[in-house]
Amino acid sequence: MEVRFYDHVNDNKITYAVIIARANGKWVFCKHKDRDTWEFPGGHREANEIIEDTARRELYEETGAIEFSIVPVCPFGVFGDVFHASIESEDHYGMLYVSEINGFEKTLHYEMEEILLLDNVTDHWTYPIVQPLLLKEARRRGFIK
């Protein structure tokens, strides 16, 4: 499996967004109802949706964030075997964002069961190869200290 980062990818090839979020100086992770691991918020783009709107919608749906800033970092591609299935190809890419969350709804309404705020990043990732590389790239590009 390989993760590649880009400065530009044609918008029509970007099919999902991933958001590295922080709140009150803590990392924000979510846990899907069907998994026992933690992940950054994110998800797939809907038809005719602007990718930043995807990021905003997914951040709300997966964390309950209602007050936040969101900044694009870069497009990326994941190629090869993730959970024993090739999840992407040369024609599908993701867009990485960073976010600072200033307010949450009290309850989660969608597929996420729980959110977790941590001083340090988790070591129990849903995508243990991909997610740390996304974080490393956001740091390398100066979006996270």
Side-chain angles (χ1 to χ4, degrees):
M1 193 210 34
E2 182 181 4
V3 179
R4 296 183 209 144
F5 297 96
Y6 305 91
D7 292 325
H8 177 78
V9 167
N10 288 336
D11 181 71
N12 64 337
K13 292 186 174 191
I14 299 174
T15 60
Y16 63 100
V18 175
I19 307 96
I20 299 172
R22 295 189 44 99
N24 299 318
K26 297 184 182 290
W27 300 101
V28 179
F29 294 97
C30 29
K31 182 181 147 328
H32 192 281
K33 291 176 183 176
D34 296 334
R35 295 188 278 273
D36 63 356
T37 53
W38 296 93
E39 57 201 67
F40 292 132
H44 285 86
R45 187 180 206 172
E46 294 180 356
N48 301 314
E49 188 174 47
I50 296 167
I51 194 62
E52 185 171 313
D53 290 345
T54 302
R56 291 177 175 282
R57 177 181 52 77
E58 290 291 348
L59 186 61
Y60 166 72
E61 289 177 1
E62 297 196 353
T63 69
I66 53 175
E67 295 176 38
F68 56 88
S69 63
I70 194 160
V71 177
V73 175
C74 66
F76 66 96
V78 178
F79 307 97
D81 189 7
V82 177
F83 286 151
H84 308 293
S86 180
I87 62 166
E88 298 301 328
S89 72
E90 292 290 337
D91 294 329
H92 295 81
Y93 299 87
M95 185 67 185
L96 181 60
Y97 290 87
V98 294
S99 175
E100 182 66 36
I101 300 172
N102 298 312
F104 293 93
E105 283 193 336
K106 295 191 187 303
T107 59
L108 296 174
H109 305 285
Y110 296 91
E111 70 271 9
M112 292 299 166
E113 177 177 79
E114 182 180 359
I115 62 167
L116 186 63
L117 303 178
L118 295 174
D119 289 326
N120 297 301
V121 295
T122 183
D123 59 357
H124 197 57
W125 300 95
T126 300
Y127 304 102
I129 296 172
V130 176
Q131 291 169 298
L133 291 176
L134 298 178
L135 182 59
K136 182 178 178 181
E137 184 66 12
R139 280 189 171 129
R140 188 187 76 76
R141 291 180 182 241
F143 288 89
I144 297 174
K145 295 178 185 180

